[in-house]
Amino acid sequence: MGNFEGKVALVTGGAHGIGKGIAKQFADKGAHTIIVDYNEENGVKTAEELTFGNVKSLFVKTDVSDPKALENVREKVFAEFGRIDILVLNAGVAFANKVNNISFEEWNKTLAINLTGLFNTVKAFYDDFLDNKGSIVYISSGSALSGTGGGVSYPASKAGGEGLIRGLAKELGPKGVNVNAIAPRLIDTGEMMRVNYPTQADLDAVLEKIPVRRLGTIDDVANLAVFLADPDNSYIQGQTILMDGGRTIA
Ligand SMILES: NC(=O)c1ccc[n+]([C@@H]2O[C@H](COP(=O)([O-])OP(=O)(O)OC[C@H]3O[C@@H](n4cnc5c(N)ncnc54)[C@H](O)[C@@H]3O)[C@@H](O)[C@H]2O)c1
């Protein structure tokens, strides 16, 4: 397990945080990476960092909520690498407003990125997976279960994504494609998480609820993403694996 030499892995939201950590692990294990992100500065930097030895990395500035942009990504991937093996569906946004303060614009934007963005990415590459097996890993969130992590639009979008993944596993499982999700909770990327835990006192209070008494790390998630994407992992299918330091069983 763990050798991805010559494979091609695309990570949405791969310019920062969890997505960047996942892309780095694939590159370290020999895969070429495509960084799909709307942050150009971070995307260019990440692709430079992940180009070394025999591995290349391509940044494509993209808003995953735009289906045409994903078609453009596919064209660039095939022009550069001629194949796709792994999709990591990671791009996501969260807003902390309560229902009475969520505008329709904010609701629609959250779903457009977090849910329709998955559909757009999968649809652009669907036919390629019919021919080439491979793996799809979705970065969901424990919030789909807990209802936390932002205003209701966030857990709603993540729960929708998990449904999409289950349906996709039924479609692509028979074609030899692994389709699974990781549902992290409180991964220390320094930013997205801290929207909900702005002070040290807030963080300390939440650590009391986590049996392992620490926040998750980007590598915790990346390790599991790489495991799930490995071709040797062929009997975990359509699952969402909760990664929350045991909080949910506490
Ligand atoms: N950090 C956590 O504690 C945590 C917990 C549970 C789930 N998650 C999920 O993990 C994923 C990554 O989160 P993170 O904490 O690394 O966030 P992050 O903000 O550090 O990174 C997200 C990346 O996605 C990109 N992005 C956002 N919207 C985009 C769009 N429309 N098109 C293209 N790129 C876009 C951003 O530019 C950024 O580079 C998200 O889906 C998030 O919901 C994070």
Side-chain angles (χ1 to χ4, degrees), residues 104-173:
F104 287 104
E105 192 188 15
E106 181 180 309
W107 170 263
N108 288 333
K109 183 177 175 183
T110 311
L111 292 185
I113 296 173
N114 292 7
L115 183 54
T116 308
L118 309 178
F119 176 73
N120 293 340
T121 310
V122 166
K123 190 168 170 65
F125 289 93
Y126 186 88
D127 289 347
D128 306 312
F129 278 89
L130 296 179
D131 298 337
N132 192 33
K133 302 191 174 176
S135 308
I136 299 176
V137 180
Y138 165 49
I139 309 303
S140 180
S141 168
S143 71
L145 259 183
S146 65
T148 55
V152 295
S153 57
Y154 182 71
S157 67
K158 291 296 186 178
E162 290 183 14
L164 183 149
I165 288 304
R166 286 184 205 111
L168 200 58
K170 298 243 179 205
E171 287 189 30
L172 292 181

Side-chain angles (χ1 to χ4, degrees), residues 11 24 33 45 62 100 115 138 194 219 228:
V11 184
K24 184 171 184 321
T33 56
K45 194 166 150 263
T62 312
N100 53 356
L115 183 54
Y138 165 49
R194 286 171 201 264
D219 272 341
L228 290 173

Side-chain angles (χ1 to χ4, degrees), residues 35 42 56 74 97 129 145 155:
I35 307 300
N42 288 342
K56 290 188 200 164
R74 190 206 171 265
N97 287 325
F129 278 89
L145 259 183

